[in-house]
Amino acid sequence: MRESPTKSKITELGCLNVVIANVVIRSAQSLSLAEKRILMAGIARLGGKNEMVKITAAEYAETYDVSLNTAYEQLKAAVENIFERYLQFQVWEGKKEGVERIRWIDAYKYFDKEGYVRFGFGNHIFPYLFELGGQFTQYQLKQAAALRSLHSWRLLELFEQMRKSLNGTKNTDGWLSMPIEEFWHAMEAKDSHRKNFNNLRKWIIEPAVKELTEKDGWLIEWEAVKSGRRVASLRFRFERNPQGGLFSQDVAPLPKQKAQTSAKK
């Protein structure tokens, strides 16, 4: 019989925190949306402990608002693919740029009749998940649960990295400035997006900004900063509803100059 966790157990997953090293946030993660969902759920469930984690289809369906059948299918297919996925870092030796790849997980098992997966993270990924000191990003899994775009999730992580803590509490706003090459790498932009900024804006930046605004209560302004005729970097200014979720009529509006999402040309 497939396992059917209680509602409280299911809801608990979305309330857990994803805690991950900052360097991972800016690296290419090489994941599909379903794979990202499973991995981040696993990291949230770790809770700082180095052990195998278990994700059930029922709690996956509840957390990410998909049908139970979809959850079964995505868990089975995605966990098999994750076994071949690598975290990719840009590394430098002198003036030479290279790429370092680290496997995300080193063991997994899908229990079809019981309806759950169990997997363990690889030894080389452990330093980016445990004993992180102050160089980490933290956010609740449920912040990303409604997102249907991987680019939106990655942009959310970049914003959360830049929300500096004040007396243990995150600010509701912040800034992100990023060289265009680093943004390409983090978003795993296609060649067509790298060669033509309008494509990057149309297919990655604007949809991600729109989804974060609508589904996770962010107000965002961004601009492309040029060096000559070339876009050299991106700057984002963001603010999040301190109560979480979508902005409502009961929340005081922001000053006029940042009341709407905008892109400065």
Side-chain angles (χ1 to χ4, degrees):
M1 246 189 92
R2 284 173 167 167
E3 186 176 282
S4 254
T6 63
K7 181 78 172 179
S8 61
K9 183 178 179 182
I10 294 172
T11 307
E12 175 193 12
L13 180 62
C15 293
L16 296 177
N17 289 327
V18 177
V19 183
I20 199 164
N22 287 342
V23 66
V24 175
I25 298 301
R26 300 212 172 207
S27 299
Q29 298 182 359
S30 308
L31 301 168
S32 69
L33 180 60
E35 292 160 8
K36 175 79 169 173
R37 286 172 169 174
I38 293 172
L39 267 184
M40 296 304 109
I43 290 172
R45 178 140 287 165
L46 279 174
K49 299 178 181 178
N50 182 355
E51 59 187 15
M52 297 280 284
V53 293
K54 174 182 175 182
I55 306 295
T56 71
E59 61 188 350
Y60 181 95
E62 179 70 24
T63 299
Y64 295 114
D65 193 24
V66 298
S67 71
L68 196 56
N69 285 338
T70 297
Y72 289 134
E73 293 169 2
Q74 291 189 359
L75 279 181
K76 184 175 182 179
V79 78
E80 291 177 356
N81 291 335
I82 292 170
F83 192 66
E84 302 299 330
R85 297 296 189 235
Y86 297 84
L87 180 65
Q88 299 184 69
F89 300 93
Q90 290 177 310
V91 294
W92 293 84
E93 291 186 7
K95 294 183 179 181
K96 295 183 178 180
E97 180 183 2
V99 176
E100 178 182 358
R101 293 179 175 87
I102 298 176
R103 191 187 293 272
W104 280 103
I105 67 173
D106 62 4
Y108 77 93
K109 175 66 176 178
Y110 177 71
F111 296 83
D112 184 54
K113 293 182 179 180
E114 292 80 8
Y116 69 87
V117 296
R118 192 186 298 277
F119 57 92
F121 292 88
N123 289 333
H124 288 91
I125 201 72
F126 285 152
Y128 303 101
L129 305 179
F130 304 105
E131 299 179 0
L132 299 173
Q135 302 300 314
F136 65 86
T137 297
Q138 175 176 308
Y139 60 93
Q140 271 195 326
L141 184 63
K142 66 181 180 181
Q143 282 183 243
L147 302 179
R148 294 298 183 261
S149 164
L150 193 60
H151 296 134
S152 304
W153 197 329
R154 296 308 319 279
L155 190 60
L156 180 151
E157 290 179 330
L158 290 168
F159 287 172
E160 287 294 344
Q161 180 184 350
M162 303 308 295
R163 285 175 63 197
K164 302 299 182 183
S165 296
L166 183 62
N167 297 327
T169 302
K170 280 188 175 181
N171 294 332
T172 59
D173 62 353
W175 292 88
L176 169 67
S177 180
M178 202 169 187
I180 193 70
E181 293 83 3
E182 288 187 19
F183 188 82
W184 290 339
H185 180 72
M187 294 292 168
E188 298 175 76
K190 298 177 181 178
D191 286 343
S192 60
H193 301 151
R194 298 179 185 225
K195 293 176 180 177
N196 187 326
F197 181 76
N198 284 333
N199 287 338
L200 185 75
R201 174 183 55 77
K202 179 179 179 180
W203 298 109
I204 293 182
I205 302 173
E206 289 182 346
V209 166
K210 183 175 186 291
E211 187 170 40
L212 287 180
T213 299
E214 294 176 349
K215 295 183 178 179
D216 196 38
W218 297 84
L219 294 184
I220 304 165
E221 290 182 342
W222 69 274
E223 64 177 330
V225 181
K226 291 187 175 182
S227 176
R229 299 179 62 184
R230 175 184 177 274
V231 173
S233 63
L234 296 173
R235 290 178 184 169
F236 296 86
R237 187 180 189 280
F238 52 86
E239 182 157 352
R240 191 167 191 271
N241 179 1
Q243 297 180 3
L246 296 179
F247 286 87
S248 69
Q249 293 179 350
D250 297 328
V251 178
L254 293 171
K256 186 174 182 180
Q257 66 267 24
K258 56 178 179 178
Q260 297 180 347
T261 299
S262 65
K264 299 177 183 177
K265 306 299 182 186

